Amino acid sequence: MQARYRFILAVLVLGALVTGPFLLTSALVWMEMKEPQRLLLKELIVPHLPLGTLLTAVGFGLGLFVVRTLFRQYVQGLLKMGEHLRLMLGANRNFRVTAADGPPEVQQVARAINDLAQQRDELMNDVETQIARAKASVEEEKNRLAALMSELAQAVVVCNLDGRILLYNNRARLEFHALAQGPTSVASGALIGLGRSIFSILDKSRIAHAEEAIRQRLARGLAANVANFVTTTRNGQFLRVQMVPVMAAGEGQGTERSMSGYVLTVENITRSLEQEQSRNLGLMELTEGNRSALGNVRAAVETLADYPDMDAREREGFIRVISEEVGRMSRRLDASAQRFADAIKTRWPLEDVSAEDLVSAARRRIEELFKLPSKVEAAEENLWIKADSFSLIFAICFLAGRLADHYEIRELRFRILTEGQLAYLDLIWAGHAMSSETFYSWELESMQVGQESSPMSLREVLDRHGGEIWYQREKAAHRAYFRFVLPVAQAVQESLESPSGSEQGRPEYYDFDLFNFQDTAVDLDRNLMEMAYTVFDTETTGLEPASGDEIIQIGAVRIVNGRLLRQERFDQLVDPGRPLRPEGIPIHGITEEMVRGQPTIDVVLPAFHAFCSETVLVAHNAAFDMRFLQLKEERTGLKFVQPVLDTLLLSAVIHPNQESHKLDVIAERLGIQIVGRHNALGDAYATGEVFLKMLPLLAEKGIHTLRQALEASQKTYFARVKY
């Protein structure tokens, strides 16, 4: 718009310069003439006035064309080149200025700029190489810590003194996801993420009390600066939490300022408490329930002892009392023993175990216990199964011991096969065949291996694994084998592959800069680089929200401290309750079968609302997506009241002279490769990358705060578009 105004001003100035002197001179000459001279001049000029006017108009038109051409080639060309230059200096170093259609002078300037950019890139590459070397050791230590935290078996969360999460491991993410309740469990689970408040998950008063206890210990100079407490979640789960302080670097050990944050180790003890309560109830039943029975038995025995000459009928009555009471006690003991055995069965969870490692451990145990040689006949490589390795190895050793004792086998062979989602673990031996009745008896009796025994039977071990065991004979080879049928471990698949190579084994569960993280309440005058964002996109049945089109997918990812956190994402299909438009399916790739049976928008929207709380929303062409959300306010009772930044409008602010502001074009202009286009999560990733590239370009234009970004966006032409 500014270029257009400049062009109009240039035309007016040109017209004034061309016509002004001529008109002024004509007016002066006319004033000095006598009346006869004026009449003579009229007679000479008036007949030729149309031709003169035409020539003047043609001349003015030619002048206007020349001015417009020069303006486009020099003024607009240089303005566009200036935008390209800033783009090259800021967001996309590989971008080069082009002026192929411009005049030779502008082309020479473009070539000189590109030569300077090449020299700058060489210098910057050298500087970056030196910086990378200097940071290598620090980065390696960060990666080691992050990898260690990610693989810990305990849930660990590190917070600053404001309760903002600055580090968490994979176990914590899984633990809090399991604690999710209500509609938010659809897609987001418990809201754990960098920059979020731990108080949304754990009781703030308990954490504050533990923190105060640690501060008092620090003030007294005590060494054991650890606090433990038990708290409950909103869905009634019991958590045991241990708090350890994080000491600030360079601070004294006896002052309150020495504590800059704390580490929380969280353990879900609900099941342990339930099992303990069950055992306590069992003990009470055994003691209280058998107390009266023992009293009756004692009274009967004492009576029989005191009256040896008792009548036979009375003696028989006392013996019946003893028998009945002993029977009741026996039944109580059997029931308690059964409950205790059930607790043992569920004590160890199934884990992913390498089949080769499992067989190797079983072979070593068999050789040690029974001096029975063994070998692996066949084994598939890289086969993993879901198993409780302890109980399964115990069962294998139990069968090997029975075979050695009853059939005196000389060698035991192992074979590992797969078929679909099942793994076959065969124990093969040569020699006498066994009867089915013998196998069934072994299957149901309690297992014992050497001096060790287990309350579980072979059948119970297989039931616990969701598996089976078969006995089969190979008549041609004069062999027989037991076949364990076990589930194959399934690898966890991500819903969308990462669109870039930035996640090469490095977990994104930490940000150490968050030690100094401030309150995340939306402050319009806060620097854009310091804010937390939720970048989102929607896929819909059509382009007319007011005409009944519905959301069929919401994808979102968070940005904290200038980092796109790909692990903290929201990705959920939505059942729109109406047929999809056939013309839209090839674009977004979502079919009727994919959305059928998915949660409705009433369930998904509260989860998304919780996911983006305390953040600024970011989207491309945000007016379209926000209109869909606004139309659901009355139905769901949810309003998205936080500020919204639109990368389309920001692109128009940064590059007002560019012809296109489509997401693909902006990404190409900024040197960003888009993968998974027209998938809501893929578009959210791309929009997030674009937004991060835009932040330094906005800063170059003097736009540093959220308020400035919103005001600049509202002044663009595209801000007038409504849906």
PDB file of all heavy atoms in Angstrom, residues 360-371:
ATOM      1  N   SER A 360      18.651 -68.029  27.006  1.00  0.00           N
ATOM      2  CA  SER A 360      20.011 -68.132  27.564  1.00  0.00           C
ATOM      3  C   SER A 360      19.967 -68.237  29.084  1.00  0.00           C
ATOM      4  O   SER A 360      20.692 -69.056  29.690  1.00  0.00           O
ATOM      5  CB  SER A 360      20.843 -66.924  27.144  1.00  0.00           C
ATOM      6  OG  SER A 360      20.991 -66.876  25.748  1.00  0.00           O
ATOM      7  N   ALA A 361      19.107 -67.418  29.725  1.00  0.00           N
ATOM      8  CA  ALA A 361      18.987 -67.479  31.187  1.00  0.00           C
ATOM      9  C   ALA A 361      18.423 -68.822  31.627  1.00  0.00           C
ATOM     10  O   ALA A 361      18.883 -69.407  32.625  1.00  0.00           O
ATOM     11  CB  ALA A 361      18.103 -66.331  31.672  1.00  0.00           C
ATOM     12  N   ALA A 362      17.434 -69.351  30.907  1.00  0.00           N
ATOM     13  CA  ALA A 362      16.851 -70.650  31.265  1.00  0.00           C
ATOM     14  C   ALA A 362      17.882 -71.768  31.109  1.00  0.00           C
ATOM     15  O   ALA A 362      17.955 -72.687  31.947  1.00  0.00           O
ATOM     16  CB  ALA A 362      15.627 -70.919  30.400  1.00  0.00           C
ATOM     17  N   ARG A 363      18.689 -71.714  30.055  1.00  0.00           N
ATOM     18  CA  ARG A 363      19.704 -72.755  29.844  1.00  0.00           C
ATOM     19  C   ARG A 363      20.736 -72.748  30.965  1.00  0.00           C
ATOM     20  O   ARG A 363      21.142 -73.820  31.461  1.00  0.00           O
ATOM     21  CB  ARG A 363      20.392 -72.532  28.493  1.00  0.00           C
ATOM     22  CG  ARG A 363      19.504 -72.818  27.289  1.00  0.00           C
ATOM     23  CD  ARG A 363      20.243 -72.533  25.988  1.00  0.00           C
ATOM     24  NE  ARG A 363      21.438 -73.373  25.892  1.00  0.00           N
ATOM     25  CZ  ARG A 363      22.466 -73.127  25.074  1.00  0.00           C
ATOM     26  NH1 ARG A 363      22.439 -72.037  24.312  1.00  0.00           N
ATOM     27  NH2 ARG A 363      23.496 -73.935  25.037  1.00  0.00           N
ATOM     28  N   ARG A 364      21.178 -71.562  31.371  1.00  0.00           N
ATOM     29  CA  ARG A 364      22.147 -71.500  32.471  1.00  0.00           C
ATOM     30  C   ARG A 364      21.550 -72.079  33.750  1.00  0.00           C
ATOM     31  O   ARG A 364      22.228 -72.805  34.495  1.00  0.00           O
ATOM     32  CB  ARG A 364      22.590 -70.051  32.690  1.00  0.00           C
ATOM     33  CG  ARG A 364      23.473 -69.492  31.597  1.00  0.00           C
ATOM     34  CD  ARG A 364      24.133 -68.187  32.041  1.00  0.00           C
ATOM     35  NE  ARG A 364      23.144 -67.169  32.344  1.00  0.00           N
ATOM     36  CZ  ARG A 364      22.692 -66.298  31.439  1.00  0.00           C
ATOM     37  NH1 ARG A 364      23.131 -66.356  30.185  1.00  0.00           N
ATOM     38  NH2 ARG A 364      21.808 -65.385  31.779  1.00  0.00           N
ATOM     39  N   ARG A 365      20.303 -71.774  34.028  1.00  0.00           N
ATOM     40  CA  ARG A 365      19.665 -72.273  35.245  1.00  0.00           C
ATOM     41  C   ARG A 365      19.504 -73.789  35.199  1.00  0.00           C
ATOM     42  O   ARG A 365      19.717 -74.479  36.201  1.00  0.00           O
ATOM     43  CB  ARG A 365      18.299 -71.592  35.382  1.00  0.00           C
ATOM     44  CG  ARG A 365      17.636 -71.843  36.727  1.00  0.00           C
ATOM     45  CD  ARG A 365      18.148 -70.848  37.750  1.00  0.00           C
ATOM     46  NE  ARG A 365      17.654 -71.167  39.076  1.00  0.00           N
ATOM     47  CZ  ARG A 365      16.447 -70.811  39.530  1.00  0.00           C
ATOM     48  NH1 ARG A 365      15.641 -70.120  38.751  1.00  0.00           N
ATOM     49  NH2 ARG A 365      16.082 -71.124  40.755  1.00  0.00           N
ATOM     50  N   ILE A 366      19.113 -74.328  34.053  1.00  0.00           N
ATOM     51  CA  ILE A 366      18.933 -75.781  33.916  1.00  0.00           C
ATOM     52  C   ILE A 366      20.262 -76.508  34.070  1.00  0.00           C
ATOM     53  O   ILE A 366      20.348 -77.547  34.738  1.00  0.00           O
ATOM     54  CB  ILE A 366      18.275 -76.090  32.556  1.00  0.00           C
ATOM     55  CG1 ILE A 366      16.831 -75.580  32.537  1.00  0.00           C
ATOM     56  CG2 ILE A 366      18.314 -77.573  32.253  1.00  0.00           C
ATOM     57  CD1 ILE A 366      16.177 -75.628  31.179  1.00  0.00           C
ATOM     58  N   GLU A 367      21.315 -75.961  33.460  1.00  0.00           N
ATOM     59  CA  GLU A 367      22.639 -76.573  33.579  1.00  0.00           C
ATOM     60  C   GLU A 367      23.108 -76.564  35.035  1.00  0.00           C
ATOM     61  O   GLU A 367      23.693 -77.542  35.531  1.00  0.00           O
ATOM     62  CB  GLU A 367      23.627 -75.816  32.689  1.00  0.00           C
ATOM     63  CG  GLU A 367      25.077 -76.244  32.816  1.00  0.00           C
ATOM     64  CD  GLU A 367      25.325 -77.641  32.279  1.00  0.00           C
ATOM     65  OE1 GLU A 367      24.548 -78.090  31.415  1.00  0.00           O
ATOM     66  OE2 GLU A 367      26.283 -78.288  32.748  1.00  0.00           O
ATOM     67  N   GLU A 368      22.846 -75.470  35.731  1.00  0.00           N
ATOM     68  CA  GLU A 368      23.275 -75.342  37.126  1.00  0.00           C
ATOM     69  C   GLU A 368      22.499 -76.278  38.049  1.00  0.00           C
ATOM     70  O   GLU A 368      23.085 -76.896  38.951  1.00  0.00           O
ATOM     71  CB  GLU A 368      23.085 -73.892  37.565  1.00  0.00           C
ATOM     72  CG  GLU A 368      23.438 -73.626  39.024  1.00  0.00           C
ATOM     73  CD  GLU A 368      23.142 -72.197  39.433  1.00  0.00           C
ATOM     74  OE1 GLU A 368      22.926 -71.350  38.530  1.00  0.00           O
ATOM     75  OE2 GLU A 368      23.106 -71.924  40.643  1.00  0.00           O
ATOM     76  N   LEU A 369      21.188 -76.428  37.827  1.00  0.00           N
ATOM     77  CA  LEU A 369      20.352 -77.207  38.737  1.00  0.00           C
ATOM     78  C   LEU A 369      20.379 -78.703  38.444  1.00  0.00           C
ATOM     79  O   LEU A 369      20.438 -79.531  39.369  1.00  0.00           O
ATOM     80  CB  LEU A 369      18.910 -76.698  38.676  1.00  0.00           C
ATOM     81  CG  LEU A 369      18.653 -75.298  39.244  1.00  0.00           C
ATOM     82  CD1 LEU A 369      17.230 -74.857  38.942  1.00  0.00           C
ATOM     83  CD2 LEU A 369      18.895 -75.290  40.757  1.00  0.00           C
ATOM     84  N   PHE A 370      20.317 -79.072  37.155  1.00  0.00           N
ATOM     85  CA  PHE A 370      20.120 -80.484  36.798  1.00  0.00           C
ATOM     86  C   PHE A 370      21.290 -81.087  36.040  1.00  0.00           C
ATOM     87  O   PHE A 370      21.222 -82.273  35.681  1.00  0.00           O
ATOM     88  CB  PHE A 370      18.852 -80.621  35.945  1.00  0.00           C
ATOM     89  CG  PHE A 370      17.646 -79.940  36.517  1.00  0.00           C
ATOM     90  CD1 PHE A 370      17.056 -78.868  35.870  1.00  0.00           C
ATOM     91  CD2 PHE A 370      17.100 -80.357  37.730  1.00  0.00           C
ATOM     92  CE1 PHE A 370      15.949 -78.230  36.393  1.00  0.00           C
ATOM     93  CE2 PHE A 370      15.991 -79.726  38.265  1.00  0.00           C
ATOM     94  CZ  PHE A 370      15.415 -78.661  37.600  1.00  0.00           C
ATOM     95  N   LYS A 371      22.336 -80.305  35.793  1.00  0.00           N
ATOM     96  CA  LYS A 371      23.486 -80.779  35.016  1.00  0.00           C
ATOM     97  C   LYS A 371      23.028 -81.353  33.679  1.00  0.00           C
ATOM     98  O   LYS A 371      23.592 -82.329  33.166  1.00  0.00           O
ATOM     99  CB  LYS A 371      24.267 -81.850  35.783  1.00  0.00           C
ATOM    100  CG  LYS A 371      24.644 -81.457  37.194  1.00  0.00           C
ATOM    101  CD  LYS A 371      25.461 -80.173  37.226  1.00  0.00           C
ATOM    102  CE  LYS A 371      25.826 -79.789  38.666  1.00  0.00           C
ATOM    103  NZ  LYS A 371      26.509 -78.482  38.735  1.00  0.00           N
TER     104      LYS A 371
END
